[in-house]
Amino acid sequence: MTRKILDCRGMNCTAPLMKTAKQMQKLKPGELLEVWVDDLAAEFDLPAWCQQVGHTIVKKEIREDYYSYLIRKKAPS
């Protein structure tokens, strides 16, 4: 399965979340989006948002100077 990458490094509070939400709307259910963030607020915002809307964080990695979140789009209800 192809995964798309969204590079939000250098963005501050709410911008990574807003860009992630917009990109997730373009994906089909089950598709993956890898989000790169270096804003500490995103460490709390992304997991909380995913839980709220039903997407799944498949994997979280701490890279050299940023976090990588692999998010699976939820199936339609």
Side-chain angles (χ1 to χ4, degrees):
M1 181 177 287
T2 305
R3 79 171 69 162
K4 296 182 180 359
I5 296 175
L6 179 62
D7 188 351
C8 293
R9 293 175 293 180
M11 296 179 190
N12 292 322
C13 191
T14 74
L17 180 58
M18 295 296 113
K19 291 209 175 270
T20 300
K22 188 174 183 176
Q23 189 66 37
M24 290 299 285
Q25 291 177 347
K26 298 176 184 178
L27 300 181
K28 296 176 184 168
E31 287 188 323
L32 299 170
L33 178 65
E34 185 174 349
V35 183
W36 297 346
V37 294
D38 56 6
D39 178 42
L40 293 178
E43 186 177 356
F44 303 100
D45 292 345
L46 284 176
W49 174 76
C50 284
Q51 184 176 10
Q52 182 181 16
V53 299
H55 301 312
T56 303
I57 294 180
V58 176
K59 187 177 187 181
K60 174 188 170 186
E61 289 184 286
I62 300 172
R63 304 267 174 94
E64 291 177 21
D65 57 351
Y66 65 96
Y67 296 95
S68 170
Y69 288 89
L70 186 59
I71 303 171
R72 182 182 315 277
K73 183 168 181 166
K74 71 175 182 173
S77 34

